[in-house]
Structures are given as structure tokens and as C-alpha cells.
Amino acid sequence: MKQLNLARLALFGETWLLPVSVGFLVSSGIFMKLATPDLWEQIGGLLLLAGALAILVLLVERRTR
């Protein structure tokens, strides 16, 4: 398991989770805008903000462990 973590760090560095989670957030926002444009107009910005804050909290919490 330790070799796998070392390989991951060598390939992605320590910040691989941030781009993956931001990519997921953006792609889910695009999907929501296409699926429900009226709902997106009303609360899309709030959902993106909540998602960004959740990513920040989770990554900081994960980093402090």
C-alpha cells in the first residue's frame, strides 16, 4: 500500500484531489444546467458556492489528519 501511495504522489503530487473534485463540481453544474435550466437560474450559483465550500472543508480536514 505504501508503494501505491508513493507512486500516486510521484504521478500526481499532493494536490491531485483538488482538480478532480473541482472538475466533478463543474461537470455536475453543466449537467444540472442542461437538465433543469429553470432551477439552475434560481439556485445554480448557490449550489456551486456550496460545492466549493464543501470541497474546501473536506480537503482541509483531510489534510489535517
Side-chain angles (χ1 to χ4, degrees):
M1 187 69 173
K2 188 170 183 155
Q3 290 175 340
L4 181 62
N5 285 337
L6 290 174
R8 180 185 56 83
L9 286 175
L11 287 174
F12 300 113
E14 291 189 15
T15 61
W16 67 274
L17 197 54
L18 180 63
V20 169
S21 56
V22 169
F24 177 76
L25 179 65
V26 169
S27 61
S28 62
I30 291 170
F31 175 75
M32 184 180 170
K33 184 175 182 179
L34 293 174
T36 57
D38 293 333
L39 184 62
W40 177 258
E41 289 294 323
Q42 293 175 0
I43 63 169
L46 289 175
L47 290 176
L48 284 178
L49 177 63
L53 289 175
I55 289 171
L56 177 65
V57 167
L58 291 174
L59 291 180
V60 167
E61 186 272 330
R62 183 176 185 268
R63 182 74 178 152
T64 57
R65 275 194 274 157

